[in-house]
Amino acid sequence: MAILVTGANGQIGTNLVRLLREKYGRDQVIASDIIRSDISTPPFLMLDILNVQRIREIIEDREIDQIYHLAAILSANGEWNPMKTWNVNLNGYLSILQISVEMGVKRVFFPSTIAVHGKSTPKVNTPQYAPMDPSTVYGMSKIAGENWSHYYHQRYGLDVRSLRYPGIIGYDSMPGGGTTDYAVDIFYQALEKGRYTCFLKPDTRLPMMYMPDAMRATMELMHAPSDKITIRQGYNLTGMSFTPEELAAEIKKHIPSFEIDYHPDFRQKIAESWSESIDDAQARQDWDWQPQFDLAAMTRDILEELGESKFKSGGR
Ligand code: NAD
Ligand code: SER
């Protein structure tokens, strides 16, 4: 089995490549990205997802039979250049789908997002099937990608699998310009400076998930028997829901002197267009999804991993 990961240098790719290599062996997992960075460990190939010929060459040369297609421009960064975001997120994905069919790639993973939701989507316990009127070009490109996933499965039998990730929080890779990035940054600032200025209002509730749960969900979905997969768009998925003030209160339990203030920017409007909590009953029913980390467990784990003890003894 040879696996290609696009956008592998990103927040999720860093973790996913590590996990896939542990499972399948280093040489079986080809990491790729538009840029090379410190974390680009071999086998690594440069790949701009808009370079269709290069995608074909890699799939042929490396005999790729599974693709984890992570390359994308996220919600906040996407608003700075809508046309480029549409092109990378949607046209890049269409190339992956079409080439996969032509070249016999067996399985494709497409990460969707809570950004597919919009003002008319029910905000609390958002059901799997609900009105979707995204407010960002990122969300527009992801809901279009979901529909194309469904189409390629129906029409060509391509085994596409997809999750609507909530905001993903990890401690060993940096987020790439999304609206939920505060929930990662806050931990670093708490440890380094003892304070944080949040770009969302204190009561902005969003669905979130700790990285280990996100990785496990991805693996469980990708390894589920095909007949268990009843949804080819994106499965609703959630781990927890919290607000910045609730996260700050949890961090304060470990770092009592921690302080937070709030200076909302353009990301507030994006966050307000998304759901507050998600109903992921279908994932639980189809492939036994069950999150393990709540807010308290995640906060404890991140602070331990990032070196709370070092902080207490004088900083990182
Ligand atoms: P990220 O921004 O950290 O990483 C994306 C990667 O894509 C970057 O390394 C970037 O260099 C690469 N990239 C950008 N343009 C490219 C191009 N033209 N060709 C090839 N690579 C390109 O994002 P992430 O958080 O790791 O997200 C990975 C995927 O998961 C994305 O599709 C994103 O939409 C989805 N997702 C992430 C979250 C989250 O909270 N992190 C939530 C929902 C969905
Ligand atoms: N965490 C992502 C973002 O904020 C959601 O897809 O853009």
Side-chain angles (χ1 to χ4, degrees):
M1 156 126 42
I3 296 172
L4 174 66
V5 181
T6 70
N9 287 347
Q11 185 200 9
I12 291 176
T14 305
N15 286 268
L16 189 62
V17 167
R18 196 186 303 135
L19 193 67
L20 289 169
R21 285 180 175 164
E22 277 166 20
K23 188 168 176 57
Y24 295 106
R26 170 165 290 277
D27 291 343
Q28 304 311 115
V29 181
I30 315 297
S32 72
D33 205 291
I34 196 169
I35 41 153
R36 191 179 289 278
S37 83
D38 303 349
I39 47 159
S40 312
T41 51
F44 175 87
L45 297 172
M46 299 284 280
L47 171 63
D48 179 345
I49 209 62
L50 298 178
N51 186 340
V52 177
Q53 186 52 31
R54 177 85 174 132
I55 301 174
R56 285 183 196 283
E57 283 167 12
I58 291 174
I59 291 176
E60 187 172 345
D61 291 353
R62 304 294 177 132
E63 299 178 353
I64 299 295
D65 45 24
Q66 284 197 15
I67 300 177
Y68 289 74
H69 176 56
L70 305 183
I73 299 172
L74 298 197
S75 60
N77 277 358
E79 293 304 291
W80 298 116
N81 195 338
M83 288 303 147
K84 180 179 174 193
T85 302
W86 179 260
N87 206 16
V88 170
N89 292 7
L90 200 261
N91 292 332
Y93 182 45
L94 283 178
S95 300
I96 291 287
L97 289 172
Q98 183 57 29
I99 294 170
S100 292
V101 168
E102 287 170 15
M103 302 186 72
V105 172
K106 293 194 182 69
R107 195 166 288 175
V108 173
F109 176 71
F110 176 66
S112 188
T113 164
I114 50 170
V116 297
H117 300 141
K119 285 248 183 284
S120 62
T121 311
K123 275 188 129 24
V124 178
N125 280 333
T126 302
Q128 177 70 39
Y129 296 104
M132 307 265 173
D133 51 352
S135 63
T136 59
V137 68
Y138 172 70
M140 286 160 55
S141 67
K142 288 289 186 175
I143 193 65
E146 283 199 18
N147 288 329
W148 278 107
S149 301
H150 180 70
Y151 182 86
Y152 266 78
H153 176 70
Q154 294 282 98
R155 174 135 191 202
Y156 303 109
L158 184 63
D159 188 358
V160 190
R161 302 178 180 203
S162 177
L163 296 171
R164 288 178 187 149
Y165 286 137
I168 306 297
I169 304 164
Y171 57 84
D172 59 356
S173 57
M174 290 298 107
T179 303
T180 57
D181 293 13
Y182 89 86
V184 176
D185 202 24
I186 193 172
F187 286 99
Y188 284 87
Q189 300 293 327
L191 286 166
E192 284 171 8
K193 301 188 179 140
R195 55 172 301 107
Y196 181 66
T197 299
C198 185
F199 58 75
L200 296 182
K201 290 182 187 167
D203 59 350
T204 312
R205 185 173 302 284
L206 288 171
M208 301 278 190
M209 179 173 281
Y210 191 28
M211 186 67 82
D213 270 345
M215 294 299 92
R216 195 168 46 78
T218 309
M219 288 297 126
E220 287 177 4
L221 174 74
M222 287 299 274
H223 290 96
S226 279
D227 61 358
K228 295 277 183 196
I229 310 295
T230 62
I231 293 171
R232 297 289 172 168
Q233 286 98 335
Y235 273 95
N236 268 9
L237 187 77
T238 193
M240 61 191 95
S241 282
F242 58 76
T243 65
E245 64 187 350
E246 287 168 355
L247 176 55
E250 200 59 44
I251 291 173
K252 250 178 161 334
K253 291 180 187 166
H254 301 263
I255 306 173
S257 58
F258 175 63
E259 284 180 11
I260 186 165
D261 62 354
Y262 301 91
H263 288 287
D265 65 18
F266 74 102
R267 289 169 280 194
Q268 180 65 33
K269 213 167 152 198
I270 297 177
E272 282 171 9
S273 74
W274 295 353
S275 301
E276 293 181 2
S277 58
I278 304 289
D279 176 359
D280 59 6
Q282 198 68 44
R284 291 169 189 254
Q285 183 184 309
D286 285 1
W287 39 277
D288 301 326
W289 165 243
Q290 192 68 51
Q292 284 176 355
F293 286 88
D294 61 11
L295 177 58
M298 177 187 76
T299 303
R300 190 168 51 246
D301 200 59
I302 294 179
L303 289 174
E304 271 172 26
E305 292 290 344
L306 282 180
E308 189 185 5
S309 54
K310 277 190 205 157
F311 168 80
K312 280 180 179 154
S313 63
R316 294 168 74 227

